[in-house]
Amino acid sequence: MDLVESGSVGGFFALRTSAPESGGAHRPLARLYAGEDGPLHARVDRVAARLGAPERRVGASVAHLGLAARLWSTALGPAALYGRFPALDPAELHWDGTLTSPEDLWWAGSGTRPGTVEDLREAVQEAHLVPFHAALRRDGHISPRLLWGNAGSALAGALRELTRWAHAHDRPEAAARAAALVSGLLDHPDLAGTVRGPRLRRASCCLYYRCPGAGLCRDCVFDHAPRTGLEGRAPAP
């Protein structure tokens, strides 16, 4: 398993395996999931302020989408390329919410898991996304449907990047494995129907379009940005 090669797929696939020399504010994600919510509150505030979001839940959605994409990518990339992936135990995966996207993740572990649908689901969806969603709901009002829609979109985005890289590097078998894994992962009640069709276009919206000057995401459910009724309002606290 070559994490350097899998990291070359794109920034969301890179996984640091040593502590940052500068120190930083990295902390195990297990602490966030267990109720240490301060860094997540600060991250949502930072994202919302950067986007000029009219509602705090927009910042929460965009912050969630970024970390969900990192989690799926760092697991799916090695699973598709080598048939194994880092175990990504929340106690061994460190995150610094003060940094910009893509989130910097430092993995302090050494164990690996087989690159199967079941192992990916346990390692990412169950061990990370389920408690991460609970933490975001502690932070403020945000619907589970939106969060799982983001998770499905992030998974589909990881597949697109892997497929692009595999075709460019003459690795058709990696593209085929990635597609099979993602198909299996999407066959779960929480993720089923979150993306649709051969282009894996999402079935719900991440709310990014509500930000000043924002357009639509590449896989947006909308063809044209709807009027929000928020254009003349001051940003919500």
Side-chain angles (χ1 to χ4, degrees):
M1 187 176 68
D2 185 347
L3 292 181
V4 174
E5 183 182 36
S6 62
S8 72
V9 174
F12 282 86
F13 292 79
L15 183 61
R16 185 192 298 277
T17 56
S18 60
E21 294 180 4
S22 59
H26 288 78
R27 67 196 64 221
L29 281 167
R31 287 165 55 179
L32 168 67
Y33 303 154
E36 191 177 299
D37 294 331
L40 180 60
H41 293 332
R43 175 65 170 170
V44 172
D45 287 340
R46 190 175 295 108
V47 172
R50 176 169 53 84
L51 296 175
E55 299 174 273
R56 195 166 187 278
R57 66 186 181 123
V58 179
S61 174
V62 174
H64 167 261
L65 188 54
L67 185 54
R70 289 288 279 124
L71 293 167
W72 279 129
S73 299
T74 54
L76 183 66
L81 292 171
Y82 316 114
R84 299 194 70 84
F85 67 97
L88 301 180
D89 188 300
E92 298 175 334
L93 192 62
H94 296 68
W95 169 74
D96 183 353
T98 68
L99 302 178
T100 57
S101 183
E103 265 80 0
D104 187 50
L105 294 180
W106 159 37
W107 180 48
S110 59
T112 63
R113 299 184 64 152
T116 67
V117 169
E118 294 75 15
D119 280 87
L120 285 165
R121 179 173 292 129
E122 289 179 6
V124 178
Q125 182 175 338
E126 296 176 7
H128 285 278
L129 294 180
V130 169
F132 183 30
H133 293 185
L136 279 166
R137 291 196 295 274
R138 292 194 301 267
D139 177 78
H141 175 70
I142 187 165
S143 77
R145 182 172 183 268
L146 184 153
L147 293 175
W148 285 115
N150 280 357
S153 173
L155 179 58
L159 174 60
R160 290 188 194 94
E161 286 302 298
L162 264 170
T163 302
R164 176 196 57 78
W165 184 94
H167 289 163
H169 291 79
D170 195 25
R171 296 288 301 276
E173 79 291 346
R177 278 199 297 268
L181 289 169
V182 169
S183 177
L185 288 164
L186 290 172
D187 187 22
H188 182 276
D190 289 332
L191 292 168
T194 57
V195 293
R196 298 172 179 167
R199 294 175 54 201
L200 297 179
R201 186 173 178 177
R202 63 181 297 161
S204 62
C205 180
C206 71
L207 305 179
Y208 172 68
Y209 78 91
R210 291 174 174 254
C211 299
L216 299 180
C217 301
R218 178 170 59 175
D219 64 343
C220 187
V221 64
F222 297 123
D223 293 317
H224 306 284
R227 291 185 60 82
T228 67
L230 300 171
E231 291 85 350
R233 299 185 190 179

